[in-house]
Amino acid sequence: MKVQYVNSFYKAVQDVFGLMLDIKPERENPAVADDMIAGNEANVMIGITGDLSGSVLFGFSKDMSLEMVRIMSGMEMNKLDSFVSSALGEVVNIISGNAVTNLAEEGYICDIVPPQVIIGENKSISMATEKALILPMKTEIGKFKMNISIKENR
Amino acid sequence: MWKEKYKIGVELIDRQHRELFRRVSDFVKTVQGEGEWEEKLSKVKETLEFMKEYVITHFNDEEIYQKEIDYPEYEKHRQIHQKFKDEVGKYVEKFQQEAYSEETVQEFGGKLMAWLINHVAGEDQKIGYFQNRGGSV
């Protein structure tokens, strides 16, 4: 997997978290996985089509998800209901939109498939994927993971 | 929900943004609050009706302002507004089909809030930046 794919998403995460949440996430050491498992309490998956194809899965803990929505709404949240999951899905949608813009600057013209939010741990998502790169991210309100599996179609 | 950093420095637009945030915030408080869904429904419907009109008024005013100052990203911005109006339109249809189910209204609320924050904190700031720099991007 090329470094541009990963960096496009990493930059988008930093920009959107900064803009919407006033938080600056930092990357930790990446790892390689054979498949994509929605191993967190709140998982959001988006698809990539066009010059590149694949998917990116974002995994958040319940506490971090609720805190993200609290920062946006200014209201305490206590459960992963459809309001919280939809807000989370939209944040990932916005990140992915920015990532697609970053990829276009690298010469890859892509589109995103709208996010799918999966609540509940260990729901494995079966996908005919290449290997996935797991990029752990650290923030002041918790850690989350990005599983990136993208390949070139050309 | 409103933060001072969302101001763009154009009085009319900032006033409308504040009002939009206030309404969305009220809406979220209502749908997230305690109580039976049936009891909240009239407030939910009232807020949705208001917002449907106010969003269009605001988008129009903002687009007129962009034309007045010869904003170079007018067309791109107009398309973002249009895409959002289309999405709201789809939800309005869904609400009618599903008799305003709690699930769908909650889903709409989450999306609306995140969309609004990102749009006002991001894309809209460029308008103020352009104008306050004396018309250069």
Side-chain angles (χ1 to χ4, degrees):
Chain A
M1 188 149 19
K2 286 190 185 164
V3 70
Q4 290 101 311
Y5 312 162
V6 178
N7 285 347
S8 296
F9 273 88
Y10 178 57
K11 186 175 183 301
V13 162
Q14 284 197 310
D15 290 346
V16 172
F17 268 68
L19 193 72
M20 298 183 74
L21 306 167
D22 290 313
I23 282 173
K24 200 172 166 48
E26 279 168 36
R27 61 201 283 180
E28 298 189 305
N29 290 334
V32 177
D34 288 328
D35 52 7
M36 298 253 247
I37 293 172
N40 288 275
E41 289 156 316
N43 308 280
V44 187
M45 190 166 76
I46 58 108
I48 302 274
T49 59
D51 288 348
L52 305 176
S53 66
S55 17
V56 181
L57 175 74
F58 290 73
F60 301 96
S61 68
K62 179 183 172 189
D63 287 349
M64 180 163 177
S65 309
L66 297 179
E67 183 59 15
M68 285 167 71
V69 178
R70 190 197 64 78
I71 293 172
M72 284 190 273
S73 66
M75 284 166 240
E76 292 297 328
M77 296 286 141
N78 50 38
K79 55 180 190 293
L80 292 172
D81 59 10
S82 40
F83 176 77
V84 171
S85 27
S86 163
L88 204 60
E90 184 61 18
V91 171
V92 169
N93 196 31
I94 292 163
I95 290 171
S96 309
N98 284 22
V100 161
T101 306
N102 296 340
L103 284 168
E105 281 165 16
E106 300 282 342
Y108 301 104
I109 306 305
C110 304
D111 252 320
I112 42 175
V113 182
Q116 194 194 343
V117 184
I118 307 139
I119 301 293
E121 277 180 78
N122 296 322
K123 299 212 171 128
S124 77
I125 298 171
S126 65
M127 282 184 302
T129 65
E130 308 277 292
K131 283 192 187 316
L133 182 90
I134 304 175
L135 191 62
M137 307 283 291
K138 194 171 82 177
T139 78
E140 64 201 65
I141 60 164
K143 293 184 177 196
F144 68 99
K145 278 181 192 161
M146 277 195 281
N147 289 30
I148 305 170
S149 175
I150 296 174
K151 66 176 170 51
E152 200 159 342
N153 284 330
R154 296 184 247 189
Chain B
M1 194 178 282
W2 171 262
K3 296 182 178 130
E4 282 303 300
K5 75 161 192 175
Y6 298 154
K7 274 167 77 172
I8 71 164
V10 177
E11 221 267 310
L12 169 76
I13 296 177
D14 285 335
R15 196 174 61 235
Q16 292 183 345
H17 281 159
R18 263 203 209 95
E19 179 65 10
L20 265 177
F21 272 78
R22 196 175 67 79
R23 293 286 182 155
V24 172
S25 182
D26 278 356
F27 179 67
V28 174
K29 272 182 202 144
T30 306
V31 297
Q32 284 278 302
E34 300 289 316
E36 291 298 312
W37 185 245
E38 279 65 34
E39 290 165 15
K40 300 178 192 169
L41 254 184
S42 64
K43 177 97 203 271
V44 164
K45 283 184 187 168
E46 187 195 306
T47 312
L48 284 174
E49 270 312 303
F50 171 84
M51 279 195 302
K52 215 166 68 188
E53 295 201 4
Y54 197 76
V55 161
I56 294 188
T57 306
H58 166 62
F59 283 177
N60 285 343
D61 285 352
E62 208 181 84
E63 287 166 19
I64 289 166
Y65 178 76
Q66 291 180 15
K67 280 231 147 167
E68 277 170 13
I69 63 167
D70 274 327
Y71 184 58
E73 293 193 25
Y74 166 82
E75 186 51 32
K76 180 189 165 201
H77 204 114
R78 195 192 60 77
Q79 283 174 18
I80 296 173
H81 283 168
Q82 186 56 49
K83 207 175 148 202
F84 185 69
K85 282 191 268 187
D86 292 346
E87 286 195 47
V88 174
K90 277 185 214 149
Y91 269 104
V92 170
E93 260 177 48
K94 222 173 155 189
F95 292 152
Q96 279 152 5
Q97 285 161 7
E98 296 176 3
Y100 292 83
S101 77
E102 179 170 6
E103 180 91 6
T104 308
V105 175
Q106 294 268 15
E107 183 189 308
F108 174 72
K111 194 178 169 72
L112 173 69
M113 176 188 72
W115 186 91
L116 183 68
I117 291 173
N118 177 58
H119 185 69
V120 173
E123 207 57 48
D124 281 350
Q125 296 299 317
K126 295 185 197 166
I127 309 167
Y129 188 68
F130 171 78
Q131 180 59 359
N132 297 329
R133 293 246 332 228
S136 60
V137 185

